[in-house]
Amino acid sequence: MLTVVINMLLFRLRISTYKTTVKMQRVAPEVKAIQEKYKKYKINDPRKAEMNQEVMAIYQREGINPVGGCLPMLLQTPIWIGLNRALGSAIEMRHAPWFGWITDLSSKDPYYILPVVMAGAMYLSTKMTPVTSTDPQQQMMMKFMPISFAAMFMFFPISSGLAVYILTSSVIGVGQQWYLNRAHPVTVPVKAPRGKKS
């Protein structure tokens, strides 16, 4: 119930983030064209600053906040840390059974089933979210994020109760993303304007 309430409270922010994501996807070809124009210059070249200015000009024109997509994750992080600490320190939570093989919500899943299912739900949610980056490395990083989360829960003493929370959040997130994809379908990206080659 705690997970459902928190996700419902954050849903308005998720809508705002989704709209920003759709805008970023729409202008992605235009941004990629700018990046291609400046890719021959080194990272410390002053002309790279010009590239950033051109990209930011597009974002300002479209009303895009490039860091807006990180807000839901940033807001959830303190909740994750607090919940994990509460599960580990609250005496009433110790050896509190949940379901089946989970006989202690304060300790990690002994069979690593929850982390694997959690990673699957996170991956599905990621696949349903429109892609904003044209960089293959960033796209690959997003795909590996669920795997890294699962590995953390397997190798570190993170409570299974937190895995239940993240799994439930991911399942709710899949439902919310399905609704957003239907209510606000992604439009065809704009073609990058043909400019002079530099």
Side-chain angles (χ1 to χ4, degrees):
M1 288 306 297
L2 172 70
T3 311
V4 172
V5 169
I6 290 172
N7 277 270
M8 289 301 106
L9 289 173
L10 294 176
F11 186 51
R12 189 173 292 273
L13 179 61
R14 191 182 187 103
I15 294 172
S16 176
T17 301
Y18 176 79
K19 288 179 178 178
T20 299
T21 303
V22 170
K23 288 179 183 178
M24 289 183 76
Q25 190 182 49
R26 194 170 62 239
V27 300
E30 199 174 346
V31 171
K32 187 177 181 181
I34 293 170
Q35 291 169 341
E36 286 290 323
K37 188 171 73 171
Y38 289 94
K39 75 175 183 179
K40 60 186 176 183
Y41 303 118
K42 293 181 179 178
I43 192 74
N44 58 350
D45 193 298
R47 281 167 289 199
K48 281 288 188 180
E50 294 176 20
M51 180 192 77
N52 294 332
Q53 287 173 1
E54 287 186 36
V55 171
M56 288 308 297
I58 292 172
Y59 288 163
Q60 286 175 359
R61 184 192 75 203
E62 298 293 328
I64 296 171
N65 179 5
V67 297
C70 303
L71 281 176
M73 182 72 77
L74 290 174
L75 287 174
Q76 288 274 26
T77 303
I79 297 170
W80 294 348
I81 294 169
L83 184 59
N84 190 57
R85 286 185 177 175
L87 286 165
S89 59
I91 191 67
E92 60 269 24
M93 291 293 181
R94 286 194 173 276
H95 305 295
W98 175 62
F99 176 80
W101 72 100
I102 302 297
T103 57
D104 187 354
L105 283 171
S106 66
S107 63
K108 68 179 187 177
D109 184 344
Y111 303 112
Y112 308 118
I113 297 171
L114 277 176
V116 172
V117 178
M118 178 191 75
M122 289 177 74
Y123 180 76
L124 179 59
S125 180
T126 304
K127 287 290 286 182
M128 292 174 69
T129 305
V131 178
T132 59
S133 174
T134 55
D135 185 356
Q137 289 184 340
Q138 289 185 14
Q139 291 179 13
M140 189 62 67
M141 206 166 73
M142 290 300 294
K143 288 178 182 178
F144 274 102
M145 190 182 291
I147 298 172
S148 61
F149 262 85
M152 262 195 327
F153 276 81
M154 289 178 181
F155 296 111
F156 294 99
I158 302 174
S159 65
S160 56
L162 181 58
V164 172
Y165 175 87
I166 297 176
L167 170 60
T168 309
S169 291
S170 298
V171 171
I172 294 170
V174 167
Q176 290 177 340
Q177 195 62 53
W178 177 84
Y179 166 77
L180 289 172
N181 289 347
R182 297 219 6 147
H184 306 281
V186 177
T187 56
V188 179
V190 296
K191 290 184 179 179
R194 291 183 180 179
K196 293 181 181 179
K197 292 183 179 179
S198 60

